[in-house]
Amino acid sequence: MSDPQTVSAAVAKLYNTYPFPSDPLLDEPPPGYNWRWNWLSAYSFCTGQKPQRQDIRILDAGCGTGVGTEYLVHLNPQANVVGIDLSAGALAMAKERCQRSGANRVEFHNLSLFDVEQLPGEFDLINCVGVLHHTHDPIRGIQALAKKLAPGGFFHIFVYGELGRWEIQLMQKAIALLQGDKKGDYRDGVQVGRQIFASLPENNRIVKYEKQRWSMENHHDEHFADMYVHPQEIDYNIETLFELIDASGLEFIDFSNPGFWQLERLLGKAPNLIERAQGLSDRQRYRLIELLDPEVTHYEFFLGRPPLIKTDWLEDEALLAAIPERNPCMDGWPSRGFFNQDYQIVNLSQEEFEFLQACDAKSTVAEILASIQIELEKVRTLFKQRLILLTPS
């Protein structure tokens, strides 16, 4: 399938048949958070400091049924949000979702990524999750969106990885072969796929992978169809991913799961190999990591448009003068044990807990340390753990 209009029509047909994601509609704000969609937390991740403004414009590019859009509105109470999608059926659900939960600072447009220039103005944050890899020309898509990113803004992207989706690719091809002339009939494709899984031996590799990774969400036909009978999909590896990133003309900031991309996680027991890897470029090191741990089902990362002012807080004088406040993406606070922005359990010492309690977004680090006994290096660790945001005084 190579004709752009044919691809777009096929993708729109899929999502009109199976609006995605299929998360339930709620009459209240959605539970929890995704820090990547919270401007304060995402900006701090990308620059090291709290943003100066929160009255921003956000674009949810390829918003589907509005699950991410709804979070973007509720997690950013001063922002105006725009959602675009080429599926009218998915947009209808997105509008209902946001209306019911009170996400009223949002507007929707039935628009392709490739036509995003029709929207007025620029955006401080662009969110594009699970979309570019379903277009006929991801490079053209990322370039179109990049043109709408304001200077100093950030672009959050999620695309598929080929190594961790190998079994999915096999199943996609098997369903297509059995469908034959009925390929493009997505309800038939879901039925064929379900029958295959029901018939294969339990020890079959594809079956085991499905049960291990996807069976809970693929209980819904909408998710099953999106995964196994999608008419258009391009999966990436590190090399092709950075070809896409370079084409955007934007600056690569970081993967949003940086811990995964640390070579010490895999080769920490072989310091001689770590030393050998010092001569590799960042991209070569990323490639080595995914080759050694080929469970990469997707890449999630931030790009930015210069000028980007970044702070690492390595200078004690700057850190002492900074104004700290607690990261808004924490669950279970106030307590010495709670979930951080990645929903990982954090257990604080008593002094760390007291310091976080004193972070009122008014006092400097130096002023807090005048009454709370904690080493400055531990404050720096709290920042590295993304438990506090810092504002230069």
Side-chain angles (χ1 to χ4, degrees):
M1 190 180 298
S2 57
D3 176 65
Q5 291 185 337
T6 302
V7 173
S8 294
V11 173
K13 179 184 175 183
L14 172 71
Y15 291 128
N16 286 332
T17 305
Y18 290 112
F20 180 86
S22 63
D23 297 41
L25 304 179
L26 303 174
D27 293 320
E28 59 187 1
Y33 50 80
N34 181 329
W35 69 265
R36 299 160 184 82
W37 297 338
N38 181 293
W39 175 244
L40 294 178
S41 190
Y43 190 97
S44 177
F45 175 86
C46 292
T47 69
Q49 58 184 300
K50 179 184 173 182
Q52 295 181 1
R53 11 181 322 261
Q54 298 182 48
D55 56 335
I56 60 169
R57 297 188 75 214
I58 300 175
L59 172 64
D60 196 12
C63 64
T65 60
V67 172
T69 321
E70 182 181 39
Y71 273 99
L72 287 166
V73 175
H74 286 292
L75 292 175
N76 302 286
Q78 296 183 39
N80 288 307
V81 181
V82 176
I84 63 172
D85 202 273
L86 53 69
S87 167
L91 279 177
M93 187 175 291
K95 292 176 182 178
E96 181 181 359
R97 182 187 304 280
C98 290
Q99 288 172 355
R100 287 180 56 171
S101 75
N104 52 16
R105 286 170 290 101
V106 59
E107 61 182 65
F108 291 101
H109 299 272
N110 190 189
L111 201 63
S112 162
L113 301 186
F114 304 111
D115 298 320
V116 69
E117 76 278 356
Q118 295 180 24
L119 296 176
E122 296 176 320
F123 296 88
D124 304 285
L125 175 63
I126 296 178
N127 182 64
C128 189
V129 172
V131 181
L132 286 170
H133 51 237
H134 287 319
T135 67
H136 68 277
D137 190 345
I139 285 181
R140 182 182 159 210
I142 199 172
Q143 289 174 338
L145 291 171
K147 291 177 182 178
K148 301 300 289 184
L149 186 65
F154 295 99
F155 191 170
H156 170 237
I157 301 176
F158 173 116
V159 292
Y160 288 153
E162 65 179 13
L163 296 181
R165 290 177 62 85
W166 186 74
E167 291 85 354
I168 295 172
Q169 294 169 16
L170 296 181
M171 188 63 166
Q172 291 170 341
K173 293 172 183 176
I175 292 173
L177 282 172
L178 287 172
Q179 276 200 280
D181 292 341
K182 297 196 74 174
K183 185 179 179 181
D185 181 339
Y186 302 119
R187 296 193 185 279
D188 177 74
V190 169
Q191 183 180 21
V192 169
R194 297 261 189 228
Q195 288 178 337
I196 292 175
F197 275 120
S199 301
L200 288 172
E202 288 189 6
N203 64 349
N204 177 272
R205 177 170 175 169
I206 297 175
V207 172
K208 288 192 294 184
Y209 189 76
E210 165 71 13
K211 288 182 177 179
Q212 175 188 351
R213 297 294 298 269
W214 313 111
S215 59
M216 288 190 64
E217 59 188 86
N218 283 345
H219 174 73
H220 301 281
D221 285 349
E222 293 87 351
H223 289 259
F224 191 96
D226 182 72
M227 180 167 289
Y228 291 116
V229 299
H230 205 290
Q232 175 70 16
E233 179 176 313
I234 297 174
D235 298 339
Y236 290 88
N237 58 49
I238 282 294
E239 294 170 351
T240 57
L241 177 72
F242 275 95
E243 290 175 4
L244 177 72
I245 290 170
D246 289 343
S248 74
L250 302 175
E251 178 182 329
F252 176 72
I253 304 297
D254 203 351
F255 293 106
S256 63
N257 57 338
F260 179 89
W261 299 100
Q262 300 302 311
L263 189 58
E264 289 76 10
R265 178 180 65 85
L266 299 171
L267 298 180
K269 295 180 180 179
N272 62 312
L273 296 181
I274 297 292
E275 185 176 352
R276 286 190 178 208
Q278 296 302 314
L280 300 178
S281 67
D282 287 346
R283 298 182 185 189
Q284 288 174 322
R285 191 164 58 253
Y286 296 147
R287 179 60 173 163
L288 177 60
I289 290 168
E290 75 170 358
L291 290 174
L292 296 176
D293 190 3
E295 296 295 321
V296 182
T297 60
H298 65 273
Y299 306 93
E300 196 162 5
F301 54 95
F302 285 94
L303 307 180
R305 178 176 296 286
L308 303 172
I309 301 174
K310 301 179 184 179
T311 308
D312 56 22
W313 304 106
L314 295 178
E315 298 293 330
D316 288 353
E317 184 177 347
L319 181 57
L320 286 167
I323 299 172
E325 63 185 275
R326 290 181 296 276
N327 190 322
C329 295
M330 290 164 40
D331 191 7
W333 177 267
S335 169
R336 286 177 56 182
F338 56 90
F339 292 99
N340 66 9
Q341 65 176 21
D342 289 314
Y343 276 99
Q344 298 170 334
I345 296 176
V346 173
N347 290 298
L348 301 177
S349 66
Q350 182 61 34
E351 59 186 5
E352 290 171 331
F353 177 65
E354 291 176 358
F355 180 85
L356 278 187
Q357 282 187 309
C359 292
D360 56 6
K362 299 177 183 177
S363 306
T364 66
V365 170
E367 289 169 340
I368 295 174
L369 294 187
S371 58
I372 293 178
Q373 298 301 312
I374 184 173
E375 296 176 2
L376 185 61
E377 192 56 38
K378 288 191 176 181
V379 176
R380 189 172 279 116
T381 298
L382 292 174
F383 168 73
K384 291 178 180 177
Q385 292 175 320
R386 312 199 188 283
L387 300 180
I388 56 174
L389 312 180
L390 294 172
T391 300
S393 62

